[in-house]
Amino acid sequence: MIDLQQLNETQQRAVEIVDGPLLVLAGAGTGKTRVLTTRLAHILLQGKANPSQILSVTFTNKASREMRERVAALLSRPVEGWWVGTFHHLGARLL
């Protein structure tokens, strides 16, 4: 199980929304990546989706790398082959 106590109340609510899409819109340094990675892990652990059913898109290589590392750490398993990456990386993968 994931410890949601590390998140503030607004972040916890965002993570606990497991049905349907969610837009996280916030400024720099507010915990967006933490919310998105925790939500992704929470959805998988709740059995709401399989890794092959998730597409997680970021803008930068740094954010993509960070998301992969955080999700892998939360789930204690590698995320190689998952659809987590930048717009450019995932577009190239589709082609």
Side-chain angles (χ1 to χ4, degrees), residues 25-63:
L25 185 62
T30 57
K32 292 180 301 295
T33 302
R34 180 182 302 185
V35 167
L36 294 173
T37 55
T38 305
R39 182 173 185 257
L40 195 155
H42 187 64
I43 288 169
L44 293 170
L45 291 173
Q46 292 288 316
K48 296 286 186 176
N50 296 318
S52 64
Q53 296 172 306
I54 293 177
L55 172 66
S56 182
V57 183
T58 64
F59 286 101
T60 67
N61 287 323
K62 180 183 174 192

Side-chain angles (χ1 to χ4, degrees), residues 47-94:
K48 296 286 186 176
N50 296 318
S52 64
Q53 296 172 306
I54 293 177
L55 172 66
S56 182
V57 183
T58 64
F59 286 101
T60 67
N61 287 323
K62 180 183 174 192
S64 172
R65 207 171 22 257
E66 204 169 310
M67 287 185 72
R68 288 175 166 279
E69 290 169 0
R70 289 185 188 191
V71 171
L74 286 168
L75 297 175
S76 300
R77 63 186 238 199
V79 296
E80 280 76 30
W82 292 18
W83 289 84
V84 177
T86 63
F87 284 99
H88 292 98
H89 170 80
L90 294 173
R93 187 172 169 189
L94 283 170

